[in-house]
Amino acid sequence: MYIVKRLLTMIVTIWLIATLTFIIMKSIPGDPFASDANVLPEEVLQNIRAKYNLDKPLPVQYVLYMKNLLTFDLGPSIQSETRDVNTLIADGFPVSAVLGLQSLVIALLFGILLGIIAALNHNRLLDRLAMFLAIIGISVPSFILAPLLIKYFAVEWKLLPVASWGTWAHSILPSIALATTPMAVIARFMRSSMLEVMQQNYIKTAEAKGLSPATIVIKHGIRNAILPVITFIGPLFAVLITGTFVIEKIFAIPGLGKYFVDSIFNRDYPVILGTTVFFSTILVITLFLVDISYRLIDPRIKLTSNKGD
């Protein structure tokens, strides 16, 4: 019953986001062809607007838009004559997904490791060093870190490619730039959660039974301390795999984020609406899977809702 309710909530959420995005886009004065008003004859502009249903009343446009969504047809791109929105997403999403997954793996591995090291060495040198690195990671935004990585690793030391997308080497620098801030946040979450867990009575009971420190940390400590990190991973995963436009712009990566930014500047309504709905779908599905993963990690958590909720 809980899963059915969540699925219905997901559908309503996606519909609301799609509706709000449509209203916001249509409330902006003008249209994508306003800049061509002084170049093209009025008859030509009317024909172009009719092609994209921009000449119809807003309620009619909304109904057509929702009808296309139900058939998974996101419509044609206004700026690209050869590719529709579905094709743009199909081309850009795999690139963004590969980059995002690599960044997520880096952030998780090093973030969790730093958090555990800091917690197990509380108020000692390793703790202070790990938290110093975390503060640096949070303080330095990715659009500042990315040019620094390019300057030293690509331009001066010539260890990695400067930009573009092709081989695995092209993804290393943007992945590091993307992973730094999430890694720092995960490290702080993991440290705080680990410190709290290691003070619990069941940890002291395990110590009294003579279990080895490694067994206590791995079997009892990390498993319970990682739940707050999973909460953060859900939206982070959705953001990373659907494209981060700043990094994709800096490194000239043909991902979904780049197409989204270009569509905003070009007022390409179908691309803006399509990528927004696609991102929202990925996000709500990811959050749903995070809830399911709670139950797998901690059997004490039940996937049911109270009657009073």
Side-chain angles (χ1 to χ4, degrees):
M1 190 62 183
Y2 170 82
I3 295 178
V4 174
K5 288 182 178 179
R6 282 302 306 270
L7 290 174
L8 292 175
T9 303
M10 289 165 57
I11 294 173
V12 173
T13 301
I14 294 172
W15 171 73
L16 287 174
I17 293 174
T19 301
L20 289 174
T21 305
F22 178 87
I23 293 173
I24 292 172
M25 290 304 305
K26 296 302 180 179
S27 64
I28 300 175
D31 60 45
F33 308 106
S35 60
D36 299 325
N38 298 326
V39 179
L40 299 177
E42 182 62 28
E43 295 79 6
V44 175
L45 287 175
Q46 290 179 358
N47 291 333
I48 295 176
R49 292 189 178 103
K51 176 182 177 181
Y52 296 102
N53 297 319
L54 297 177
D55 61 330
K56 294 180 172 58
L58 286 181
V60 177
Q61 293 185 39
Y62 177 74
V63 171
L64 291 174
Y65 169 59
M66 286 298 168
K67 180 181 178 181
N68 290 335
L69 277 185
L70 292 175
T71 59
F72 302 101
D73 180 9
L74 300 178
S77 169
I78 293 177
Q79 294 297 321
S80 178
E81 297 180 357
T82 58
R83 295 188 294 177
D84 57 14
V85 180
N86 292 54
T87 304
L88 289 175
I89 293 176
D91 292 342
F93 177 65
V95 175
S96 296
V98 170
L99 179 61
L101 286 173
Q102 288 184 184
S103 305
L104 185 64
V105 170
I106 293 172
L108 283 175
L109 287 178
F110 290 96
I112 291 175
L113 181 62
L114 279 176
I116 294 172
I117 292 174
L120 297 180
N121 296 274
H122 185 47
N123 287 334
R124 287 185 244 174
L125 177 61
L126 287 177
D127 181 19
R128 294 187 177 93
L129 180 60
M131 288 303 97
F132 173 76
L133 293 176
I135 291 173
I136 295 297
I138 295 174
S139 303
V140 180
S142 59
F143 61 85
I144 297 295
L145 180 61
L148 293 176
L149 293 174
I150 293 174
K151 174 178 171 59
Y152 290 104
F153 286 92
V155 177
E156 294 194 3
W157 300 337
K158 301 186 184 302
L159 298 175
L160 295 167
V162 176
S164 189
W165 189 259
T167 64
W168 177 75
H170 287 89
S171 67
I172 295 177
L173 292 183
S175 295
I176 294 174
L178 270 179
T180 301
T181 298
M183 178 189 68
V185 176
I186 289 172
R188 292 179 67 87
F189 275 159
M190 194 66 190
R191 176 183 179 271
S192 300
S193 183
M194 195 74 178
L195 286 174
E196 181 179 351
V197 167
M198 296 304 290
Q199 299 299 320
Q200 299 299 315
N201 290 331
Y202 58 83
I203 297 294
K204 297 177 182 178
T205 302
E207 292 174 346
K209 289 181 178 180
L211 296 179
S212 65
T215 302
I216 294 173
V217 170
I218 296 173
K219 187 175 181 180
H220 299 284
I222 296 177
R223 182 175 181 179
N224 292 284
I226 206 171
L227 285 175
V229 176
I230 293 178
T231 304
F232 177 69
I233 289 174
L236 173 64
F237 173 78
V239 170
L240 289 179
I241 69 169
T242 50
T244 49
F245 61 88
V246 175
I247 294 300
E248 290 183 3
K249 269 292 186 182
I250 292 175
F251 288 95
I253 297 173
L256 195 58
K258 177 181 179 297
Y259 293 138
F260 181 70
V261 174
D262 292 341
S263 67
I264 292 176
F265 284 111
N266 297 324
R267 300 189 66 172
D268 194 338
Y269 294 159
V271 176
I272 295 174
L273 293 168
T275 51
T276 302
V277 171
F278 181 77
F279 171 79
S280 304
T281 303
I282 295 291
L283 179 59
V284 296
I285 291 175
T286 303
L287 293 177
F288 172 71
L289 294 178
V290 166
D291 286 347
I292 300 298
S293 67
Y294 281 164
R295 178 66 177 84
L296 298 177
I297 294 176
D298 191 348
R300 296 171 299 176
I301 300 175
K302 303 296 182 182
L303 294 180
T304 57
S305 56
N306 298 327
K307 293 181 179 181
D309 292 345

